């Protein structure tokens, strides 16, 4: 039985190819596993707050010092941490914007990653990620096609964040490219043929 967390971050609703590809990944997972729950978090409909002075202060506070104000300021962060805790598999869709990930997805990460929560320090001050047994799938949509040898900044960045600050090393990436070309049609089945 698997719990899936589906993160979408395109503003294009039904037209979004990153949402389409991430949904197709979930369909594939469902064919291979028994799914107990799929939680969808649409980061455009429900935009993550940006870190401000007050919330950053709460992020660094020792949990023993939390008060009513902390509960309020950390409410979004705690909600998304719980969603990640409960998930066995996290499927993330993101458009490519100027070679990078979508801004709502970056804001989600900035609310999610927290010392003492997603990672702790051991006695040698090494970071130890707390979500080592989870699997992440990335679905990245880009208007153009990548040139051979060009770095995939989105996947490289997200893999590093998940490994360094969450302990997740099992990250699999799928791309849908050339979405802005004339006459483009999405063929999720062929992108996922090896799934
Ligand atoms: C502000 C902006 C920046 C973009 N930057 C890139 C880019 O750097 N490279 C690229 O190939 N496509 C770029 N695109 C095109 C999108 O990646 C493409 O439309 C993609 O399908 C969007 O994802 P979605 O279909 O999930 O919304 C950009 C689009 C916008 C609106």
């Amino acid at each position: 039985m698997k719990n899936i967390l589906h993160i979408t971050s395109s503003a294009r609703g039904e037209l979004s190819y990153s949402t389409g590809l991430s949904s197709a990944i979930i369909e594939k997972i469902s064919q291979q596993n028994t799914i107990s729950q799929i939680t969808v978090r649409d980061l455009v409909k429900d935009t993550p707050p940006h870190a401000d002075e007050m919330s950053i202060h709460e992020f660094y506070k020792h949990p023993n010092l939390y008060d009513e104000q902390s509960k309020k300021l950390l409410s979004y962060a705690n909600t998304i941490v719980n969603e990640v805790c409960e998930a066995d598999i996290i499927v993330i869709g993101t458009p490519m914007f100027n070679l990078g990930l979508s801004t709502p997805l970056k804001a989600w990460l900035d609310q999610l990653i927290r010392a003492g929560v997603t990672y702790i320090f051991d006695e040698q001050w090494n970071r130890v990620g707390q979500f080592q047994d989870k699997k992440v799938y990335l679905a990245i949509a880009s208007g153009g096609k990548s040139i051979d040898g060009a770095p995939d900044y989105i996947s490289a960045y997200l893999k590093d964040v998940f490994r360094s600050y969450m302990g997740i090393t099992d990250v699999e990436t799928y791309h849908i490219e050339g979405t802005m070309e004339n006459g483009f049609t999405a063929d999720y089945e062929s992108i996922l043929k090896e799934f």
Side-chain angles (χ1 to χ4, degrees):
M1 295 281 264
K2 300 283 184 197
N3 262 347
I4 298 180
L5 175 59
H6 187 191
I7 305 290
T8 63
S9 65
S10 164
R12 298 191 327 111
E14 304 256 299
L15 298 175
S16 161
Y17 294 111
S18 58
T19 302
L21 181 57
S22 54
S23 301
I25 290 171
I26 292 174
E27 187 56 41
K28 288 279 180 194
I29 299 168
S30 314
Q31 287 162 12
Q32 297 168 7
N33 300 273
T34 312
I35 305 302
S36 45
Q37 192 180 307
I38 302 175
T39 303
V40 181
R41 180 156 285 274
D42 180 333
L43 300 179
V44 171
K45 277 198 188 130
D46 187 9
T47 316
H50 282 179
D52 59 13
E53 191 181 352
M54 300 272 279
S55 62
I56 289 169
H57 180 68
E58 296 300 332
F59 267 56
Y60 289 112
K61 228 184 209 175
H62 192 279
N64 289 349
L65 300 173
Y66 286 161
D67 52 20
E68 279 309 304
Q69 167 113 318
S70 318
K71 253 195 230 161
K72 229 170 33 199
L73 289 168
L74 293 174
S75 136
Y76 181 90
N78 289 338
T79 301
I80 61 168
V81 167
N82 286 339
E83 286 174 354
V84 167
C85 280
E86 281 168 18
D88 302 295
I89 302 171
I90 306 163
V91 183
I92 300 174
T94 182
M96 177 185 287
F97 277 3
N98 300 314
L99 301 180
L101 69 166
S102 71
T103 49
L105 182 56
K106 176 63 167 61
W108 177 78
L109 286 171
D110 293 345
Q111 290 288 315
L112 177 68
I113 307 293
R114 205 180 335 158
V117 178
T118 59
Y119 64 94
I120 56 169
F121 289 99
D122 68 12
E123 281 167 10
Q124 283 76 45
W125 279 99
N126 297 310
R127 273 190 305 265
V128 183
Q130 300 296 287
F131 296 98
Q132 288 166 16
D133 54 348
K134 297 188 191 298
K135 163 118 196 172
V136 171
Y137 290 96
L138 303 176
I140 304 171
S142 57
K145 284 188 179 144
S146 59
I147 301 157
D148 268 353
D152 174 358
Y153 295 107
I154 299 179
S155 158
Y157 166 75
L158 287 172
K159 278 182 180 174
D160 219 1
V161 168
F162 285 124
R163 181 180 54 79
S164 305
Y165 299 115
M166 295 180 77
I168 302 175
T169 52
D170 192 356
V171 180
E172 210 169 304
T173 305
Y174 292 91
H175 295 95
I176 179 159
E177 296 187 316
T179 64
M180 294 187 78
E181 289 175 0
N182 273 343
F184 178 82
T185 50
D187 184 357
Y188 300 124
E189 204 47 50
S190 75
I191 295 168
L192 300 175
K193 63 181 181 296
E194 308 277 312
F195 197 97

